[in-house]
Amino acid sequence: MTGVARITKLDFFIMKSQGISYLSLVAVILLFGLMGSSITVLCITGAWFIALMATNIFAIQEKNHLDRLYGSVCVSLNEVVLGRYTFVFLNYFTSMVVIIILYLGFVLCRKATFDVPDIMLGLGLSFLVFSTITGIQMPLFFKMGYTKAKLWSVIPFAVVMLLVVLPSFVSGVLDFAQSHKELFAFACILTSCIIQFVSYHIAVIFYRKQR
């Protein structure tokens, strides 16, 4: 087992007690689905929720003084950071799989048709929202710790919310997205990967300085 896999497994083990909290996402998606929300809304809601929940691993690690436990695992600093990013991403990936399954269930129950480009658009936008929020948050948590960075970690949520409430920005983006769903989804995924790549390297630099 690689060092990255060890850290990811350890994160999942530590967050096991928080598993019940993730069921609230299922409840929210079911509610939104019954209201007839689109797959894009469901995916973005899931991304927002996971970005909020998954980074709680930093809070639990700090609250329970688990730095020594992580230090006992024979891995490099890079592997610690990459393992944490992998853990957070797997939370997002799993939530998207669950959301798509639930969405398809709604489609079948209503005997409606689903559009693959719509699903691609929803996934692309959700990944961009998730990557923007966690991409800003995680380097801060690695640099300052959860308690000190808690207030600053609100910034990415505020930035995303600000963009959402700007009518001219939203209408322009949505018009282009609806006209070029596959292209826009690909652009979102590519941008998200770049954000995560840059964020990871910044987090490594910050974490190395803290050790």
Side-chain angles (χ1 to χ4, degrees):
M1 184 182 295
T2 65
V4 173
R6 291 192 189 98
I7 295 298
T8 303
K9 184 177 180 180
L10 182 57
D11 282 349
F12 274 112
F13 176 78
I14 291 172
M15 286 289 286
K16 188 189 302 183
S17 61
Q18 303 295 311
I20 192 67
S21 301
Y22 289 86
L23 293 179
S24 58
L25 172 61
V26 176
V28 170
I29 296 303
L30 287 174
L31 178 61
F32 278 39
L34 291 173
M35 294 169 58
S37 298
S38 67
I39 182 62
T40 299
V41 172
L42 297 181
C43 287
I44 291 178
T45 301
W48 186 283
F49 182 92
I50 292 300
L52 182 65
M53 289 296 299
T55 50
N56 280 344
I57 182 66
F58 289 96
I60 295 173
Q61 179 181 347
E62 184 175 300
K63 179 180 178 181
N64 295 286
H65 308 289
L66 299 178
D67 288 343
R68 186 170 297 178
L69 174 62
Y70 280 89
S72 66
V73 182
C74 297
V75 295
S76 66
L77 293 181
N78 292 48
E79 289 175 325
V80 171
V81 177
L82 185 56
R84 180 61 52 83
Y85 272 76
T86 302
F87 164 76
V88 173
F89 172 76
L90 288 177
N91 274 261
Y92 164 79
F93 179 80
T94 303
S95 72
M96 289 302 109
V97 171
V98 172
I99 288 171
I100 291 175
I101 291 174
L102 292 175
Y103 172 74
L104 293 178
F106 285 122
V107 169
L108 292 175
C109 289
R110 293 168 181 159
K111 297 182 180 179
T113 58
F114 67 91
D115 192 4
V116 173
D118 284 339
I119 296 177
M120 292 175 59
L121 179 60
L123 290 174
L125 281 170
S126 71
F127 192 32
L128 182 59
V129 168
F130 167 81
S131 295
T132 300
I133 295 174
T134 59
I136 297 173
Q137 283 185 328
M138 292 183 66
L140 293 175
F141 288 139
F142 275 110
K143 177 179 176 62
M144 304 168 66
Y146 182 81
T147 301
K148 293 181 180 179
K150 188 175 181 179
L151 181 61
W152 291 100
S153 68
V154 177
I155 293 177
F157 285 98
V159 170
V160 172
M161 182 61 72
L162 179 62
L163 293 177
V164 170
V165 299
L166 290 176
S168 58
F169 175 82
V170 173
S171 61
V173 171
L174 289 180
D175 287 343
F176 179 82
Q178 290 298 326
S179 302
H180 309 81
K181 293 179 181 178
E182 295 91 339
L183 177 62
F184 190 79
F186 175 78
C188 286
I189 293 173
L190 179 61
T191 302
S192 301
C193 290
I194 293 173
I195 291 173
Q196 289 290 301
F197 179 80
V198 173
S199 174
Y200 160 73
H201 283 282
I202 293 175
V204 168
I205 293 172
F206 284 167
Y207 191 52
R208 184 173 288 120
K209 290 181 179 179
Q210 291 298 106
R211 307 308 292 176

